[in-house]
Amino acid sequence: MALLKMWCLLPFAALLLLSIIPTTAEVVRSMSNCTGFLLQETPPRVPGILEGGNILEQNRYKPICQTLNNLRSFVTLYDTTNRIPVFSASKYKGSKPGRPKIWNIEPQLYENQAGECDYLNNSQQLDRGHLFPSSYGHTQNVKKSTFTLTNAVPQADRFNQGSRKNMEECIKCVMDDYCINSNDQVEGFLVIGAQPGNNKLNNRVNIPSMLWSAFCCYSQSKGWLASAHWGQNIPGGDKYLQTKTLDELHNKLSTPSSRFEVFPGTQCSLNTTVTQFYPEVNSKKREKQKCNCPPLISTISAAPTTTSAPPV
């Protein structure tokens, strides 16, 4: 165990050696201290955790301005007890190709976050799965900033690399094509979260029972667009996650005493999805990119037949 603990400290020691370079994230006191990543600067309402913009247990839940080279990239609300993020949120501005591979930790939360050793050599086939995806980064700096263990949760490898990955690629294509604001720029807002489960990785890091995500944007040609997804964090499952409305996500995550809301107080559409765009985004040719949106399933039933005699 001593060797394991010493090995786990190596990434932190390396960061200390680089402490003269501003490459770490910032743990702040309030979600309002990290602006630019939430639609209308309004954080989600998460029952028992974040309500009315206020963190109910400030010793446990820590807002993080995910920052690299003095540039803020996205915001995370981190659960130091479960050692996983509650959610990560950001503004989507388009993406650039490339994928970094170096994972980082947050020195300010070192004793209360997952470490590199928690994920390596695990026998449960669990990935260090991003919440805010690296593929959504519009610069290489943003992409690198997503590789922090405060933006990761243990995810079943086939789920992370299968239906969840397909969903991320599909929504990215939708935002690229339709989330064009009045300044002709790509702009969408994402919130991606994890629901704690009953099991732990390495007896330290909570393994989420499910992961959820939602996006919303204003399109100058289509108006307000929004959709949500969630899926159980288990191996296998369907190839695609079902596309849901925001209202369905709210109902899924609400408690008997408090309602969950992902974009509270905004004009995001609560009862529509973006599935009507899937055939078009799938058919569009893109350089080094697949959209992987699910095929549409017809809900139109055949006209009923009757054997009754015509009226006299």
Side-chain angles (χ1 to χ4, degrees), residues 42-77:
T42 305
R45 177 184 174 89
V46 185
I49 297 176
L50 179 63
E51 299 184 8
N54 299 313
I55 299 170
L56 302 186
E57 294 185 55
Q58 294 192 353
N59 290 332
R60 174 175 177 175
Y61 300 103
K62 303 295 184 181
I64 303 174
C65 291
Q66 301 285 7
T67 307
L68 183 64
N69 297 322
N70 279 335
L71 298 173
R72 291 178 171 181
S73 300
F74 60 103
V75 62
T76 297
L77 183 62

Side-chain angles (χ1 to χ4, degrees), residues 93-303:
K93 302 178 183 179
S95 62
K96 298 290 184 182
R99 179 179 172 85
K101 295 182 179 179
I102 298 177
W103 285 88
N104 301 295
I105 62 170
E106 170 45 56
Q108 290 173 268
L109 296 178
Y110 179 65
E111 295 295 331
N112 302 102
Q113 73 153 97
E116 186 87 356
C117 58
D118 289 312
Y119 286 94
L120 297 182
N121 301 319
N122 76 79
S123 60
Q124 298 168 269
Q125 294 184 313
L126 295 169
D127 290 346
R128 291 171 291 185
H130 288 72
L131 287 193
F132 181 59
S134 169
S135 61
Y136 282 23
H138 67 283
T139 67
Q140 290 301 317
N141 197 77
V142 172
K143 287 180 175 294
K144 291 178 181 178
S145 72
T146 68
F147 278 80
T148 173
L149 293 176
T150 54
N151 180 48
V153 298
Q155 293 184 40
D157 55 359
R158 291 174 62 188
F159 171 64
N160 181 41
Q161 300 167 36
S163 59
R164 182 167 172 79
K165 182 172 183 270
N166 289 339
M167 178 272 294
E168 290 173 352
E169 292 172 344
C170 173
I171 294 303
K172 182 157 74 77
C173 287
V174 171
M175 291 190 295
D176 283 336
D177 290 357
Y178 296 101
C179 290
I180 311 299
N181 63 22
S182 55
N183 295 320
D184 289 325
Q185 296 176 336
V186 176
E187 181 184 81
F189 290 86
L190 296 134
V191 184
I192 305 167
Q195 286 291 98
N198 297 320
N199 299 311
K200 291 185 178 181
L201 173 64
N202 197 25
N203 203 32
R204 280 175 27 97
V205 184
N206 187 278
I207 302 173
S209 59
M210 64 168 280
L211 277 80
W212 56 267
S213 68
F215 93 94
C216 177
C217 72
Y218 180 77
S219 166
Q220 64 174 340
S221 62
K222 305 294 183 182
W224 286 96
L225 304 176
S227 277
H229 294 82
W230 68 79
Q232 289 185 295
N233 186 24
I234 56 176
D238 296 330
K239 183 177 180 180
Y240 302 104
L241 298 180
Q242 292 187 12
T243 305
K244 302 290 188 176
T245 66
L246 295 186
D247 197 49
E248 288 176 302
L249 179 65
H250 295 170
N251 292 334
K252 179 73 175 177
L253 299 180
S254 292
T255 67
S257 59
S258 184
R259 183 159 177 80
F260 174 90
E261 292 182 86
V262 67
F263 300 111
T266 67
Q267 294 177 277
C268 297
S269 175
L270 296 177
N271 299 301
T272 62
T273 69
V274 293
T275 54
Q276 69 270 27
F277 303 130
Y278 289 176
E280 185 173 342
V281 298
N282 277 339
S283 64
K284 185 176 179 180
K285 292 184 178 180
R286 304 168 195 269
E287 185 178 357
K288 298 180 180 179
Q289 181 182 353
K290 292 182 179 180
C291 291
N292 287 324
C293 290
L296 296 185
I297 300 175
S298 175
T299 58
I300 302 174
S301 60

Side-chain angles (χ1 to χ4, degrees), residues 15-30:
L15 280 176
L16 288 180
L17 292 175
L18 297 174
S19 60
I20 58 173
I21 303 174
T23 59
T24 59
E26 305 171 54
V27 178
V28 294
R29 292 188 59 83
S30 169

